Amino acid sequence: MGIHETPITPSKVPPIPPLATADRVSVGYDGRPILAEASFVLERGAFAGLLGSNGSGKSTLIKSLVGILPLCAGRFAFRTPDGHALVFGYVPQRESLDPVFPLSSLEVALMGVCGRLRPGRMLGRSQKTWARECLSQSGAGDLESKPFSQLSGGQKQRVLIARALVARPDLLVLDEPTAGVDPAATVAIVELLTRLHREQGLTILMVNHDLGVVRKTVQQVLWIHNGVLSQGPVEEMLSQARLEAILELRLQ
Amino acid sequence: MKGMNTLLEILNPGFVLRNSVLVTLLVGIVCPWIGVFLVLRRLVFLGVALPQISSAGIAFAFSLPLLGVMGHAHDGHFEGDERLLALLGGLGFTLVSLLFLAIMERRGKGLVEGRVGTFYALAGASSFLLLAKNPMGERGLLDLLRGEIIAVSDIDVRVTVAVFAFVGVTLKFFWKEFLFVSFDRDMALSLKKNVMLWDCLLFLLIGLTISVSVLSVGPMVTFGFLLIPPLIGHQFGRNMRQFALIASGVGGISALAGFCVAYRLDLPVGPTDVALMGCLYALSTLIKRVVVR
């Protein structure tokens, strides 16, 4: 698929229907759009990165995608293989979570169960076992009894990814998972996401500022520039010519 | 030994103030449990203002005999239907204030603390203004404000037990939902949780707890139990279960110990409870610092 700007004009019909489609969506707050008429397609099993400058509407777009914010205009369409309602595994920016809550990492991970458990149902052994399994998958198995607020940035991110996995998501959506994290932890998080994508075929959409991380990990790039969302393969979207055009500089 | 004798005396079913002991103990256990959410949602100031607002609602109910709506309060205290009206007055004022504050917060204009502070001041002033011409009602309100937990009738106990049982059972059943929407509203929305509904239910429980507690033990004791035990629990709880258990435990023990001290030294029970909890908070902070070092 080549680079395209909204509206989408696909050259051919994909063999498998896309997992998520944004059709000329406008997103913002109180009915005032920050980003207007944006369209994109997320194929099942894709790993996509969402790029853009500060205030371009990246976080607003993914918050609207997962249902936190209402759309100003347009629509999202979701299609799962067996027709069930699409489940999001949303990983917010970790600074948005108040450290005043004395939650253990296991308690945080268990919140992922709430989407599938009816209100009033107690957490059983199977849910706890599953949460521990997801913590282990995320490399946070040894953190389960530690207070979440006392973890490092990288450790918190692993626990939040585990929590998203506990929900058994169709689409993992991460809001700047490597922001403010040291280089070693960044590498670990990137490796974790790559492994989840490769081994479990998980569809991932990740907001990220780090071009290096995006180049190494994702297959598709969605880039918001001057209020327009473009989508294309990573090699094309992050080519030198395109970067020069978008960043308005001459790369050495 | 004397302390133990006093404790055994007040726990004796034949003790003349057994209703007061029971109600204080219930308030001491349930208020901190619900207060956990006020601390976690950083609504401590609201925990101070709401009991005052609830007492304004009770003052409104006290003032009704003056308006000829209902019979006279007996010796400054309510009985039977009058008690129900007082409870409805306190609950009504609390819930309407919560609704108004929530709408204003959603609009995002002005200072939240400013609005809560204004409500607090207005509630205090209106309580006295409503009863300025009603000596019987004013006496009852002054008893409430002083934290005199002496004249607790059987119906007080029944209402308190019934309401707290409802609050306790609802909290226990929906603990994970309340915790989830309080900790990460965004993820709850992404998992299609009805966050507004859970918020409303939680604030209904907060309103009910405060209204019943204020009617039984007064606003000062209520906000003492709502806030101080959770603040102590927060220093030592390593997870939510420990936090809530420590808060309720400290509240219950303080209620009993405060009653013993007040009974032996002939002091008002409410202020003794709050002073004791204040000392425990200072002590726990000191212990925490020593342990951390």
Side-chain angles (χ1 to χ4, degrees):
Chain A
M1 195 197 304
I3 298 168
H4 56 252
E5 296 188 349
T6 55
I8 298 167
T9 49
S11 56
K12 58 178 181 178
V13 179
I16 304 167
L19 188 69
T21 310
D23 183 13
R24 299 165 72 89
V25 296
S26 296
V27 298
Y29 296 89
D30 300 325
R32 287 190 289 273
I34 294 172
L35 174 67
E37 303 265 313
S39 299
F40 63 85
V41 172
L42 277 178
E43 303 291 350
R44 196 172 307 136
F47 193 158
L50 178 56
L51 297 170
S53 55
N54 283 335
S56 60
K58 302 183 298 296
S59 294
T60 314
L61 178 62
I62 62 164
K63 282 185 177 179
S64 300
L65 173 72
V66 302
I68 296 167
L69 292 173
L71 281 172
C72 300
R75 63 185 284 269
F76 287 113
F78 306 111
R79 199 152 174 184
T80 53
D82 57 359
H84 69 264
L86 188 131
V87 177
F88 291 101
Y90 176 61
V91 182
Q93 294 185 16
R94 62 181 186 283
E95 290 81 12
S96 67
L97 301 173
D98 196 334
V100 78
F101 284 76
L103 291 160
S104 68
S105 300
L106 180 63
E107 284 176 319
V108 171
L110 277 167
M111 285 181 184
V113 176
C114 288
R116 292 184 183 267
L117 212 57
R118 284 213 314 269
R121 287 284 301 273
M122 299 293 160
L123 294 165
R125 188 177 292 173
S126 62
Q127 283 94 14
K128 287 181 183 168
T129 306
W130 172 235
R132 287 193 174 101
E133 209 172 292
C134 292
L135 280 167
S136 294
Q137 273 183 42
S138 307
D142 55 336
L143 304 173
E144 69 165 69
S145 59
K146 293 199 172 158
F148 179 74
S149 60
Q150 291 173 17
L151 302 181
S152 68
Q155 289 173 325
K156 276 184 183 169
Q157 212 61 58
R158 284 170 176 276
V159 173
L160 291 178
I161 292 170
R163 182 181 68 162
L165 294 177
V166 170
R168 300 180 198 268
D170 301 296
L171 173 56
L172 188 63
V173 181
L174 305 102
D175 197 353
E176 306 211 28
T178 57
V181 173
D182 64 66
T186 298
V187 170
I189 290 167
V190 167
E191 280 176 359
L192 167 64
L193 293 174
T194 308
R195 185 162 47 81
L196 289 170
H197 174 247
R198 193 180 58 238
E199 292 175 4
Q200 299 184 13
L202 199 56
T203 311
I204 302 176
L205 175 62
M206 170 179 72
V207 174
N208 210 308
H209 270 114
D210 189 333
L211 288 180
V213 167
V214 171
R215 191 190 296 277
K216 274 186 222 158
T217 51
V218 310
Q219 303 157 334
Q220 285 279 310
V221 169
L222 289 80
W223 197 322
I224 303 170
H225 179 59
N226 286 342
V228 177
L229 187 142
S230 314
Q231 181 177 9
V234 64
E235 306 81 36
E236 292 177 34
M237 292 296 287
L238 298 187
S239 67
Q240 183 167 334
R242 182 137 183 109
L243 287 176
E244 281 175 12
I246 287 179
L247 300 176
E248 293 173 349
L249 52 81
R250 186 98 202 134
L251 294 178
Q252 295 297 315
Chain B
M1 196 62 195
K2 277 182 183 174
M4 186 54 74
N5 286 340
T6 310
L7 181 64
L8 290 174
E9 187 183 346
I10 69 167
L11 289 178
N12 190 318
F15 182 53
V16 68
L17 297 175
R18 68 179 188 284
N19 284 354
S20 307
V21 177
L22 186 58
V23 163
T24 312
L25 183 62
L26 286 172
V27 169
I29 291 170
V30 177
C31 274
W33 198 11
I34 204 94
V36 158
F37 284 98
L38 289 174
V39 170
L40 293 180
R41 294 176 79 131
R42 297 188 184 266
L43 297 171
V44 169
F45 201 15
L46 199 61
V48 177
L50 284 179
Q52 192 71 43
I53 291 166
S54 180
S55 63
I58 293 168
F60 179 72
F62 269 106
S63 70
L64 288 179
L66 194 69
L67 304 172
V69 176
M70 52 182 260
H72 290 287
H74 304 282
D75 198 21
H77 294 281
F78 286 122
E79 286 181 4
D81 292 345
E82 297 154 353
R83 173 147 199 102
L84 185 64
L85 262 179
L87 177 62
L88 291 177
L91 184 62
F93 271 51
T94 306
L95 294 181
V96 168
S97 304
L98 274 171
L99 185 68
F100 179 80
L101 290 167
I103 290 170
M104 294 301 285
E105 192 185 354
R106 238 180 143 71
R107 289 187 179 175
K109 289 179 181 167
L111 284 172
V112 177
E113 293 86 350
R115 282 192 289 272
V116 176
T118 306
F119 264 68
Y120 175 79
L122 282 175
S126 60
S127 302
F128 287 103
L129 285 175
L130 280 167
L131 297 168
K133 301 291 181 191
N134 182 355
M136 290 295 279
E138 190 178 18
R139 200 170 127 195
L141 183 73
L142 284 174
D143 279 354
L144 267 186
L145 293 179
R146 273 200 297 267
E148 296 280 10
I149 314 169
I150 300 299
V152 179
S153 63
D154 287 345
I155 199 160
D156 283 337
V157 176
R158 280 200 287 271
V159 169
T160 308
V161 168
V163 171
F164 282 0
F166 171 72
V167 169
V169 168
T170 313
L171 261 185
K172 173 78 181 158
F173 265 95
F174 301 123
W175 180 259
K176 72 176 190 305
E177 281 79 16
F178 292 138
L179 184 61
F180 190 26
V181 300
S182 300
F183 178 62
D184 194 350
R185 187 177 184 278
D186 284 357
M187 192 188 177
L189 283 168
S190 78
L191 290 177
K192 311 285 182 281
K193 291 281 147 188
N194 192 336
V195 173
M196 179 75 94
L197 176 79
W198 292 114
D199 276 348
C200 285
L201 185 55
L202 180 59
F203 280 110
L204 175 69
L205 297 184
I206 291 172
L208 271 172
T209 306
I210 288 175
S211 304
V212 169
S213 302
V214 167
L215 199 53
S216 301
V217 301
M220 173 190 62
V221 186
T222 301
F223 65 64
F225 277 116
L226 273 175
L227 301 178
I228 302 174
L231 290 173
I232 295 171
H234 192 257
Q235 298 188 84
F236 298 100
R238 283 177 63 83
N239 54 43
M240 281 302 299
R241 189 187 175 83
Q242 288 178 12
F243 176 25
L245 279 174
I246 294 171
S248 275
V250 167
I253 290 166
S254 301
L256 271 185
F259 207 102
C260 285
V261 173
Y263 182 63
R264 276 200 66 81
L265 303 179
D266 194 21
L267 295 169
V269 176
T272 309
D273 283 342
V274 176
L276 186 66
M277 284 189 288
C279 293
L280 282 176
Y281 186 33
L283 188 67
S284 66
T285 307
L286 196 68
I287 291 170
K288 178 78 180 172
R289 284 194 179 183
V290 171
V291 169
V292 168
R293 272 181 196 170

